[in-house]
Amino acid sequence: MQELRSFTQQHLAELAPLIAASSAEGYSMVQRLAEEWQSGVQTFSQPGEGFWGIWQGQRLRAIGGISIDPYQPTATIGRIRHVYVLPPWRRHGLAKQIVLHSLKHAAGHFAKISLYTNNPAAAKLYEACGFEPATGFVRSTHCYNYQG
């Protein structure tokens, strides 16, 4: 059985398999997540922020969350961050579950949500969750608007 739960600093050691798999695919975001969390740069603790994992039993299968967008000029814009699913668990709805949970969690805290992806499959996922191609956003490919 899969369970979506809050991800906290106590779970950082559980990132090891995700760091290895993402690095093998050429992605640095999971490693960067661990480093930023350990240094205190990003702990997803501001209002509207949150980070989650999906576990199957005791094994972490997927991660992702939302933070204030550090690239935008206002704190009213959130950003989907570090969504990653272990390859054998893709196409089971885990990333979508995390993204939709993040959007629900952030409602009322942010007016818009941005994200960046260069992965066509991920872009389709985000668009299926209500994101549109972004215009006028720094370092963003997609935007979700709560007001429209």
Side-chain angles (χ1 to χ4, degrees), residues 90-136:
R90 293 182 185 157
R91 303 191 116 11
H92 294 279
L94 303 183
K96 186 174 186 177
Q97 185 179 355
I98 287 172
V99 170
L100 293 176
H101 183 80
S102 296
L103 292 173
K104 183 177 178 182
H105 172 83
H109 294 280
F110 302 113
K112 298 179 181 198
I113 307 296
S114 69
L115 64 86
Y116 175 85
T117 185
N118 60 4
N119 179 319
K124 286 182 183 181
L125 163 77
Y126 294 125
E127 290 165 11
C129 291
F131 284 81
E132 297 179 352
T135 55

Side-chain angles (χ1 to χ4, degrees), residues 64-81:
I66 193 161
S67 71
I68 295 170
D69 190 328
Y71 306 112
Q72 307 308 324
T74 174
T76 63
I77 300 173
R79 187 174 187 89
I80 294 290
R81 306 292 300 271

